Amino acid sequence: MQSKIIEIKNKAIEEISEVKTKEEIFDLEKKYLGRNSEFNQILKNLKNLSEEEKKEIGKSANLAKKEIEDNLKKYERIISESNFDFQSEKIDITIPGKRKKRGHLNILSQVRNEIEDIFTGMGFEVADGPEVETEHYNFDALNIPKDHPARDEWDTFWIKPEEKLDHMLLRTHTSPVQIRYMEKNEPPFRIISPGKCFRREATDSTHEHTFYQFEALVVGEDVSVANFKYIGEQFFSKFFNKDIKVRLRPSFFPFVEPGFEFDISCLMCSGKGCRACKNNGWLELGGAGMVNQNVFVASGYPRNKYQGFAWGFGLERLAMMKYKISDIRLFHSGDLRFIKQF
Ligand code: DAH
């Protein structure tokens, strides 16, 4: 019996030493230690033996069993280690990295920065005001009284009135920044104020309900229309990178007197006349004028002490002219094919 046990054990150890896969280990475990294994047979038959033999055989059977178990474990570990997949765990530090996708400033922000750069280069300060305005700053202080028909020019988004508060609205232009700035500052000064405006109107290729304007305001004791034309020509020549002429046509805005429509010479034909300017040589840009004395008074300045000029231009319109964009609605469309071009 003893030699039988040793024989089984040696055979098992030999077979175990040749295994290649975990499945084979599993099969050998079943074969040598499982319920129907020869060892189990021997242990089952112990009861038929004498006390002496029981002790002796039982002991060596258990020792042999233990030895087989240890060998199974040992080879299982060897197989696991040799199967470790070094290839997939390998890090190749010579592979070129993947470039991270980077966003960039929207074309409107780029144009706004460009405008601010040119004006700060000419000694202007950049001023800011709220997008949610009061009726006072957006209209009354700009010499547009409540019942004045000119108010209809600005289709307004009103904000639900709150008790005790002045009527609130989404500013329809950047002109209220003029008042806010003058309340806090004494002339002489030069400012521009770019910002978002809102109008309750139908949209088409040149109108948006949300758009940007930039206001300019220059005030001093002897600021004239000539200064105004000069600054305008300087700015637009820098912005469009070519010599630009400015033309003023009489117009009306309650906050200026005299008021003008501000035109620049056509970017394509420089004034000769072409398809882009419908053959008249000029492109219309926006409103401008000499600040109405009522506006100075509403801002806390004495009447007739100062003179100044102001304008309010659409930022999108400038961007459209410079980059030949045909539809204002593209700016806020979120269409990446458009945005990525700039
Ligand atoms: N605020 C006017 C508008 O949005 C534009 C404007 C006209 C601004 C004349 C001015 C100005 O500063 O002098 O229609």
Side-chain angles (χ1 to χ4, degrees):
M1 191 63 84
Q2 286 286 20
S3 61
K4 176 83 178 153
I5 290 171
I6 290 166
E7 191 189 315
I8 297 170
K9 183 193 83 178
N10 286 343
K11 197 161 156 257
I13 288 174
E14 195 188 320
E15 278 180 38
I16 290 169
S17 72
E18 281 161 11
V19 292
K20 300 245 159 16
T21 65
K22 286 200 176 176
E23 286 72 44
E24 284 172 9
I25 296 265
F26 183 76
D27 288 344
L28 289 181
E29 187 175 5
K30 206 164 136 196
K31 177 171 170 189
Y32 288 104
L33 304 175
R35 200 183 303 160
N36 296 323
S37 64
E38 285 179 275
F39 265 123
N40 234 19
Q41 239 33 65
I42 293 171
L43 290 170
K44 262 189 202 157
N45 291 332
L46 281 183
K47 58 179 185 291
N48 303 329
L49 302 176
S50 66
E51 280 304 310
E52 195 68 8
E53 281 176 321
K54 246 188 220 170
K55 242 182 174 176
E56 216 174 289
I57 304 290
K59 194 176 166 196
S60 45
N62 277 325
L63 278 175
K65 216 175 139 184
K66 173 90 176 32
E67 212 172 316
I68 293 171
E69 274 170 6
D70 288 349
N71 269 276
L72 284 168
K73 274 198 194 122
K74 179 174 146 197
Y75 279 90
E76 193 179 354
R77 204 172 55 238
I78 290 172
I79 286 171
S80 302
E81 281 169 7
S82 69
N83 277 356
F84 184 72
D85 190 352
F86 285 101
Q87 203 49 41
S88 73
E89 293 294 321
K90 194 169 81 177
I91 295 173
D92 182 351
I93 55 164
T94 66
I95 291 175
K98 280 194 191 127
R99 193 177 283 275
K100 276 244 163 60
K101 280 201 180 128
R102 271 176 98 186
H104 68 278
L105 288 179
N106 182 281
I107 180 64
L108 283 178
S109 303
Q110 292 180 41
V111 167
R112 177 182 172 150
N113 288 346
E114 223 177 304
I115 292 172
E116 290 183 3
D117 280 353
I118 297 174
F119 275 102
T120 48
M122 294 195 287
F124 280 62
E125 197 183 315
V126 179
D128 210 4
E131 289 167 5
V132 176
E133 258 301 0
T134 64
E135 185 177 11
H136 171 78
Y137 286 107
N138 196 81
F139 290 125
D140 300 322
L142 285 165
N143 198 31
I144 319 170
K146 293 204 175 22
D147 50 0
H148 197 285
R151 237 185 225 213
D152 300 340
E153 294 276 315
W154 293 276
D155 305 289
T156 309
F157 286 113
W158 291 94
I159 289 171
K160 226 174 168 181
E162 294 265 347
E163 246 183 297
K164 288 201 211 101
L165 280 180
D166 193 2
H167 282 149
M168 305 289 281
L169 46 81
L170 297 182
R171 69 174 175 194
T172 59
H173 48 185
T174 42
S175 301
V177 184
Q178 293 187 22
I179 313 290
R180 288 185 176 274
Y181 187 85
M182 288 195 282
E183 282 179 342
K184 296 205 178 78
N185 296 275
E186 282 297 314
F189 60 76
R190 293 171 250 194
I191 59 164
I192 58 160
S193 181
K196 219 181 246 177
C197 307
F198 309 86
R199 286 192 200 168
R200 210 174 134 254
E201 57 184 16
T203 61
D204 60 28
S205 64
T206 55
H207 295 88
E208 255 290 19
H209 49 72
T210 302
F211 57 98
Y212 286 84
Q213 276 192 343
F214 80 104
E215 198 80 7
L217 178 67
V218 175
V219 178
E221 291 198 357
D222 50 10
V223 174
S224 70
V225 178
N227 301 142
F228 167 31
K229 251 190 113 175
Y230 177 78
I231 297 270
E233 285 180 348
Q234 288 296 307
F235 165 67
F236 286 108
S237 298
K238 286 204 178 96
F239 183 74
F240 289 116
N241 254 326
K242 55 160 44 179
D243 268 349
I244 300 281
K245 293 261 166 305
V246 163
R247 180 176 79 169
L248 304 174
R249 283 179 290 124
S251 184
F252 173 76
F253 299 94
F255 27 94
V256 281
E257 179 58 36
F260 306 110
E261 284 296 336
F262 188 108
D263 301 337
I264 57 169
S265 49
C266 176
L267 301 170
M268 306 294 276
C269 66
S270 299
K272 290 186 206 70
C274 69
R275 261 184 34 207
C277 57
K278 300 200 180 80
N279 257 329
N280 78 32
W282 298 93
L283 301 170
E284 210 180 301
L285 262 190
M290 299 304 288
V291 179
N292 192 306
Q293 290 298 325
N294 289 344
V295 171
F296 285 145
V297 172
S299 309
Y301 295 169
R303 190 174 292 279
N304 294 330
K305 180 167 186 203
Y306 299 115
Q307 301 189 87
F309 67 77
W311 75 56
F313 297 152
L315 213 118
E316 284 88 347
R317 177 147 170 76
L318 289 187
M320 287 164 82
M321 285 169 141
K322 180 159 178 172
Y323 296 99
K324 311 215 169 12
I325 298 162
S326 58
D327 195 318
I328 193 173
R329 290 167 294 193
L330 286 166
F331 290 106
H332 299 287
S333 65
D335 188 338
L336 290 178
R337 291 170 306 177
F338 171 72
I339 290 168
K340 281 181 175 167
Q341 292 178 52
F342 305 103

